């Protein structure tokens, strides 16, 4: 996967590239190169990828021929995933087809357009001949495939940053504009050739300005979009992707609960939208929890006297947990390819487009939302008061875990409402109790692994040492909590 940072320009047929020598930060300009490129673009019959700003193509020619998948642009850059050419020119490789399932929802992929490009390349060079910026001058023949093919021709210029700072790309863009180039009207060549065939996004309900509904709906839409955006990264097993997708699920579910007086009836969307988000969060959670606990034990083991660490224990708490993590990732990939998941995404799309709002949604946000935030903080205080009345033991442990869950919901609610102070207060409660919960969970995993080691006839001393550390960590967090609560409350 590569990060593509580029500017695209429309240029007239008689356009001439300006002299790019002397651009500050560059040490030279390469001799021009030329390529002939042929690219076939794949999409669903109703162009679901194009509608989401995703392009999937098979390209021959040039120095990067192969399969290219470009994900939607974010923060001025696009992520591009490349794979080598396959023998079949009509069947998308299974891996790439899976990476766009969040957009296709299982619909078949087929060729929809072909682009033939005569490309002239000029490169701005840095120290030791490194390529800093590549300028592609393209003359394009685009054909929309179908029973009656439609052909379009045009010329465009792309300036892509290969190395260095984005300021360098801005300097190149400035020279191109002075020479007569104009920022491109289309985000991609495919969008240009398909034109108005690309379906417009479904219309979205616009709540009253400055209303509670406007704030809540914007929050729901942002995290629904975030969940879909993380899908291909989760399938690739990228660092932190599962965590981000899981957090998006939790925030959506928490918001639907907390703001049920603003957005109603979600229990009737896709059976029960909150329950479906819970299901997906649990699917994602298995791999994430194993990832976190494995890293935790690695840190603990590295900090111990080597005499206390057996090779068998390091293997079980490292490689064995990693193998279980890989199995959990496979279960995630299977779940993300099921109709149940696609139905959940459809439900989130429907919610984002036309959320079922109440009369309360029209009220001023500054008046309505603080009351909801306060109500969710009271859930935290009520849960803690109930826990304090219990004797030490398993029942109280469960009650304190409920306090942590209530604090997490209060935090997400406050963040959605833009109340940073209330969010920080809830976050501190969540974090202290989280340290306690992490220690309890770690002890449970250690007991399981020690049991397996004992059955295999292995030394279990290391597990006892780690269990003692985790017990002390959990106890320390528990002892700190009353003081933290006193300060916050």
């Amino acid at each position: 996967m590569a990060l593509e940072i580029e500017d695209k320009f429309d240029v007239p047929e008689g356009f001439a590239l300006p002299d790019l020598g002397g651009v500050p930060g560059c040490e030279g300009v390469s001799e021009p190169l030329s390529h002939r490129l042929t690219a076939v673009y794949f999409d669903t019959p109703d162009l679901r990828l194009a509608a989401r700003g995703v392009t999937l193509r098979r390209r021959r020619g040039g120095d990067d021929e192969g399969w290219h998948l470009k994900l939607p642009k974010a923060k001025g850059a696009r992520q591009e995933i490349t794979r080598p050419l396959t023998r079949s020119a009509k069947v998308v490789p299974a891996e790439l087809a899976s990476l766009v399932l969040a957009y296709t929802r299982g619909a078949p992929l087929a060729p929809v357009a072909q682009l033939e490009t005569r490309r002239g390349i000029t490169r701005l060079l840095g120290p030791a001949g490194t390529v800093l910026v590549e300028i592609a001058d393209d003359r394009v023949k685009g054909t929309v495939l179908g029973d009656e093919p439609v052909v379009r021709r045009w010329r465009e210029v792309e300036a892509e940053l290969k190395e260095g700072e984005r300021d360098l790309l801005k300097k190149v863009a400035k020279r191109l504009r002075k020479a007569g180039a104009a920022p491109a009207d289309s985000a991609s060549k495919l969008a240009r050739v398909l034109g108005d065939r690309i379906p417009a996004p479904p219309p979205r309900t616009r709540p009253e300005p400055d209303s509670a509904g406007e704030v809540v709906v914007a929050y729901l839409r942002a995290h629904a979009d975030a969940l879909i955006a993380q899908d291909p990264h989760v399938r690739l097993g990228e660092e932190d992707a599962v965590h981000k997708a899981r957090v998006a699920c939790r925030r959506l579910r928490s918001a639907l609960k907390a703001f049920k007086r603003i957005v109603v009836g979600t229990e009737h969307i896709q059976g029960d939208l909150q329950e479906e988000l819970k299901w997906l969060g649990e699917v994602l959670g298995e791999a994430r929890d194993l990832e976190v606990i494995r890293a935790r034990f690695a840190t603990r083991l590295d900090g111990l006297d080597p005499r206390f660490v057996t090779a068998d224990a390091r293997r079980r708490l490292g490689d064995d947990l990693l193998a279980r993590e890989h199995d959990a990732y496979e279960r995630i990939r299977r779940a993300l390819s099921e109709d149940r998941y696609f139905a959940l995404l459809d439900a989130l799309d429907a919610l984002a487009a036309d959320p079922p709002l109440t009369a309360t949604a029209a009220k001023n946000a500054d008046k309505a939302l603080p009351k909801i935030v306060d109500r969710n903080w009271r859930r935290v205080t009520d849960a803690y008061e109930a826990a304090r009345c219990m004797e030490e033991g398993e029942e109280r442990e469960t009650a304190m875990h409920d306090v942590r869950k209530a604090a997490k919901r209060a935090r997400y609610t406050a963040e959605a409402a833009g109340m940073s102070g209330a969010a920080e207060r809830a976050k501190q409660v969540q974090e202290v109790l989280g340290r306690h919960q992490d220690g309890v969970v770690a002890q449970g995993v250690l007991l399981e692994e020690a049991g397996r080691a004992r059955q295999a006839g292995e030394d279990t001393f290391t597990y006892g040492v780690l269990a003692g550390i985790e017990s002390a960590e959990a106890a320390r967090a528990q002892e700190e909590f009353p003081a933290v609560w006193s300060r916050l409350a």
Side-chain angles (χ1 to χ4, degrees):
M1 178 176 287
L3 198 63
E4 185 182 68
I5 304 172
E6 67 178 17
D7 290 329
K8 295 172 68 67
F9 301 91
D10 293 331
V11 298
E13 187 56 38
F15 176 80
L17 278 178
D19 180 10
L20 295 169
V23 172
C26 297
E27 297 187 4
V29 180
S30 72
E31 291 295 321
L33 302 173
S34 62
H35 294 298
R36 285 186 176 270
L37 314 172
T38 301
V40 177
Y41 287 77
F42 290 75
D43 207 331
T44 62
D46 54 356
L47 302 180
R48 297 181 185 184
L49 298 185
R52 296 272 190 170
V54 178
T55 58
L56 175 58
R57 72 186 178 206
R58 183 184 190 273
R59 187 163 79 185
R60 298 194 69 94
D63 52 12
D64 64 343
E65 67 177 12
W67 287 92
H68 299 179
L69 168 61
K70 294 186 179 184
L71 300 174
K73 201 166 188 177
K75 297 180 180 179
R78 297 185 78 182
Q79 284 189 302
E80 181 177 10
I81 301 161
T82 59
R83 294 293 182 268
L85 285 175
T86 53
R87 294 182 64 183
S88 174
K90 295 183 178 180
V91 179
V92 177
E95 179 193 1
L96 294 182
S98 74
L99 293 179
V100 296
L101 279 172
Y103 307 104
T104 66
R105 313 281 162 92
L109 293 165
V112 296
Q114 178 173 298
L115 297 180
E116 299 169 67
T117 304
R118 288 187 293 126
R119 169 168 289 181
I121 294 176
T122 302
R123 291 168 174 155
L124 302 190
L125 307 177
T130 57
V131 179
L132 301 180
V133 178
E134 183 172 279
I135 296 97
D137 184 356
D138 293 341
R139 289 171 170 82
V140 187
K141 174 188 174 184
T143 306
V144 180
L145 303 177
D147 295 336
E148 298 182 7
V150 177
V151 177
R152 290 192 174 96
R153 300 175 187 272
W154 72 91
R155 186 181 175 193
E156 66 178 49
V157 170
E158 297 177 357
E160 182 178 356
L161 184 68
K162 295 293 187 178
E163 285 192 29
E165 300 298 325
R166 295 197 188 199
D167 281 348
L168 179 58
L169 194 61
K170 292 180 181 178
K171 294 171 185 175
V172 173
K174 184 176 180 180
R175 292 204 177 190
L176 292 173
R177 288 196 301 272
K178 286 185 70 174
D185 287 335
S186 298
S188 67
K189 290 181 175 66
L190 180 64
R192 181 159 185 165
V193 72
L194 292 176
D196 57 9
R197 287 175 172 80
I198 300 175
R204 286 185 162 187
T205 299
R206 298 183 65 181
E208 291 291 325
D210 301 320
S211 67
E214 182 183 46
V215 173
V216 173
V217 169
Y219 184 83
L220 292 172
R221 286 172 176 167
H223 291 292
D225 290 344
L227 178 59
I228 293 175
Q230 285 302 318
D231 178 285
H233 306 290
V234 169
R235 294 175 192 271
L236 288 168
E238 289 183 25
E239 184 179 359
D240 220 29
V242 165
H243 173 60
K244 290 177 180 177
R246 188 189 191 189
V247 168
C249 283
R250 286 176 165 175
R251 290 178 186 273
L252 283 165
R253 185 165 174 250
S254 178
L256 292 174
K257 285 184 174 182
F259 299 114
K260 61 185 178 182
R261 298 186 183 186
I262 293 174
V263 179
V264 295
T266 55
E267 66 274 11
H268 303 304
I269 301 175
Q270 177 46 33
D272 186 332
L273 184 52
Q274 292 183 33
E275 283 302 308
E276 292 304 286
L277 287 167
K278 179 182 179 183
W279 160 74
L280 181 57
E282 289 172 349
V283 169
L284 297 167
E286 182 185 5
R288 173 61 180 173
D289 291 344
L290 285 166
E291 180 182 53
V292 169
I293 203 72
R294 180 173 57 84
R296 184 184 184 93
F297 289 152
T299 300
R300 296 279 193 233
L301 290 169
D302 288 345
L304 287 178
D305 187 320
R307 294 174 300 171
F308 297 160
V309 181
T310 67
D312 287 329
R314 188 176 285 279
R315 172 184 55 78
R316 285 189 180 277
L317 300 179
D319 294 344
D320 288 8
L321 287 180
L322 180 59
R324 288 170 57 187
E325 188 181 324
H326 287 163
D327 290 342
Y329 265 100
E330 285 305 312
R331 285 189 283 277
I332 288 174
R333 293 183 183 101
R334 287 198 296 271
L336 298 190
S337 302
E338 294 175 359
D339 288 342
R340 182 177 184 179
Y341 174 62
F342 301 150
L344 169 57
L345 296 184
D346 287 343
L348 288 173
D349 285 347
L351 177 69
D354 188 20
L357 301 177
T358 68
T360 305
K363 293 184 178 180
N364 183 273
D366 291 339
K367 293 181 179 179
L369 295 182
K371 295 177 181 178
I372 297 174
V373 172
D374 288 345
R375 188 157 53 243
N376 277 269
W377 177 252
R378 285 199 299 274
R379 291 181 69 254
V380 182
T381 60
D382 291 346
Y384 184 47
E385 287 303 317
R388 290 173 67 178
C389 296
M390 298 177 183
E391 297 291 333
E392 292 288 341
E394 188 174 335
E395 186 178 2
R396 191 171 191 276
E397 290 277 356
T398 302
M400 290 301 293
H401 185 50
D402 289 340
V403 176
R404 176 174 175 254
K405 290 193 292 185
K408 184 183 296 184
R409 177 168 154 185
R411 172 190 170 186
Y412 292 162
T413 305
E415 287 176 348
M419 299 175 63
S420 57
E424 180 60 29
R425 175 177 61 181
K427 180 182 177 182
Q428 289 185 47
V429 172
Q430 176 193 341
E431 288 182 343
V432 176
L433 293 180
R435 283 170 42 213
H436 175 263
Q437 179 67 14
D438 290 346
V440 171
V441 170
Q443 290 175 71
V445 174
L446 288 167
L447 285 172
E448 291 177 7
E449 294 300 324
R452 294 189 181 98
R454 194 176 299 109
Q455 289 180 348
E458 298 168 5
D459 189 334
T460 59
F461 177 75
T462 302
Y463 303 97
V465 174
L466 291 176
I469 293 172
E470 295 295 353
S471 177
E473 176 71 15
R476 187 158 47 247
Q478 194 171 38
E479 290 167 3
E480 289 175 12
F481 185 71
V484 172
W485 179 261
S486 179
R487 184 180 75 251
L488 294 173

